[in-house]
Amino acid sequence: MSNKILVGVDLGGTTIKLAFISMQGDIIEKWEIPTNKKDNTIVVDIAQTISQKAEEIGISFSQLGGIGMGAPGPVELETGLVYSAVNLGWENYPLKEELEKVTGLRAIIDNDANIAALGEMWKGAGNEARDLICVTLGTGVGGGIIANGEIIHGTLGAGGEIGHITSIPDGGAPCNCGKTGCLETIASATGIVRIAVEYIQQSEVDTPLTEKYKESGVISAKDVFDFAREGDEIGQKVIDTMAFHLGLAIANLANGTNPEKIVIGGGVSKGADVFLHKVKEFFVKFAFPTVAKGAEIKVATLGNDAGVIGGAWLVKTKLLEI
Ligand code: ZN
């Protein structure tokens, strides 16, 4: 059993990331293929690329220990049913069953944000903490909550939907989920830009950030971080708003689980040097003192590899070691 090779798969709307990973969590080989949504050949494509790659690098089929995969939507863990993946046009899709049938390997499916959290727990910033909250700040805000080493799924698989914590109870911006004022409308890349534009339009003074926006008509979250880093007043105001709401949300969440580590990942975490110290300040201010004392807030370290490594962790712990 100890020499089995774990297959991690991270299914996204545009690419499918795959990796062969050792039982120690080291990546042996990683690659990606495009997601073919149009013909829905996703499962067949995955099966083909796994056997091709295995042959190419001299791994025999019998060495493969199983597939651990993240899907972009809520999942029923026991059956591997994807309740809905809007991006892929899936509704109650039996992903585990299909994948096992086509590949001949055992499979385990979880939500993509959850497997990223497991990856960070195992080999990343989580440092094997058994109580951990992972927040992924990208175009949206995703998350995974791990309590006593296990991901919290909840009754309909929607546990850990950190992005949809209500930050602005009245008059907030509309969210993709149908509510308004969600954390996602503030702390995602999209949210940061939205707030920046709002502040720029309200501002009576010009700063380098407002000038950049007025000249080009567009700004990115990276612009906001870059200008804030140089001391731009509006940029810093945007960071203050984002850090306040993120710190408040994770403090409230942490009061429920008393985590050892809080890991912040996703593309937006590239600006952590500008916002993380502020998030920490607000976190300490709003968390129950013992909770604040026990939690360390860290930036994710695995980047795009978190998902495939978390998938491999599921194979190791849920399929092989039981
Ligand atoms: Zn929402």
Side-chain angles (χ1 to χ4, degrees):
M1 182 181 290
S2 61
N3 62 353
K4 284 286 187 198
I5 290 165
L6 315 166
V7 186
V9 182
D10 189 359
L11 171 59
T14 50
T15 59
I16 305 170
K17 297 183 183 67
L18 301 104
F20 292 145
I21 292 167
S22 74
M23 291 290 279
Q24 290 70 44
D26 300 317
I27 292 181
I28 297 162
E29 180 82 16
K30 64 170 174 175
W31 73 103
E32 53 182 66
I33 60 170
T35 309
N36 183 351
K37 287 182 282 195
K38 213 174 85 221
D39 306 318
N40 197 14
T41 55
I42 290 168
V43 167
V44 174
D45 292 346
I46 289 170
Q48 271 170 0
T49 191
I50 289 171
S51 61
Q52 259 169 25
K53 185 63 77 177
E55 201 184 317
E56 197 181 304
I57 62 171
I59 292 172
S60 72
F61 186 78
S62 63
Q63 281 175 279
L64 301 177
I67 300 172
M69 179 161 164
V75 173
E76 188 182 50
L77 193 68
E78 291 76 30
T79 59
L81 183 82
V82 180
Y83 288 114
S84 94
V86 183
N87 272 341
L88 305 174
W90 285 353
E91 190 80 37
N92 292 324
Y93 183 71
L95 180 59
K96 174 183 146 82
E97 201 183 308
E98 291 293 320
L99 200 60
E100 289 186 336
K101 203 164 66 192
V102 181
T103 60
L105 292 165
R106 283 198 295 162
I108 182 160
I109 317 289
D110 205 333
N111 167 266
D112 53 3
N114 287 343
I115 64 163
L118 290 170
E120 286 292 340
M121 173 187 80
W122 188 20
K123 300 300 286 188
N127 204 16
E128 299 190 50
R130 294 183 61 78
D131 295 284
L132 174 147
I133 293 172
C134 189
V135 190
T136 308
L137 308 175
T139 23
V141 172
I145 302 168
I146 298 171
N148 198 22
E150 296 286 339
I151 281 279
I152 292 185
H153 293 95
T155 185
L156 292 177
E161 285 293 347
I162 295 167
H164 305 287
I165 287 176
T166 300
S167 296
I168 314 272
D170 291 305
C175 181
N176 289 327
C177 72
K179 300 198 296 141
T180 58
C182 293
L183 181 63
E184 181 163 298
T185 68
I186 296 163
S188 64
T190 331
I192 290 164
V193 169
R194 186 188 60 77
I195 293 168
V197 170
E198 198 180 298
Y199 287 176
I200 288 168
Q201 285 167 346
Q202 289 166 0
S203 174
E204 281 162 14
V205 291
D206 272 341
T207 72
L209 184 67
T210 65
E211 278 160 19
K212 156 113 201 199
Y213 178 71
K214 283 170 186 167
E215 269 166 33
S216 62
V218 280
I219 45 163
S220 64
K222 183 176 182 295
D223 291 332
V224 175
F225 293 140
D226 289 346
F227 284 100
R229 197 175 285 120
E230 302 299 317
D232 188 281
E233 212 179 297
I234 304 284
Q236 285 185 338
K237 214 176 123 191
V238 178
I239 302 297
D240 287 344
T241 301
M242 175 262 193
F244 169 85
H245 287 290
L246 186 58
L248 175 63
I250 58 178
N252 285 338
L253 199 56
N255 279 358
T257 61
N258 188 193
E260 181 184 336
K261 293 276 195 311
I262 295 167
V263 179
I264 298 179
V268 171
S269 69
K270 290 191 184 113
D273 63 300
V274 194
F275 68 75
L276 198 66
H277 64 284
K278 289 183 178 173
V279 174
K280 285 178 178 171
E281 274 172 33
F282 287 118
F283 175 77
V284 169
K285 182 175 175 185
F286 295 127
F288 180 63
T290 308
V291 169
K293 206 171 105 191
E296 192 185 359
I297 303 181
K298 301 194 78 175
V299 176
T301 58
L302 297 180
N304 287 335
D305 295 340
V308 290
I309 293 176
W313 166 261
L314 284 178
V315 177
K316 176 179 147 85
T317 57
K318 302 287 178 197
L319 297 180
L320 298 178
E321 287 180 349
I322 285 177

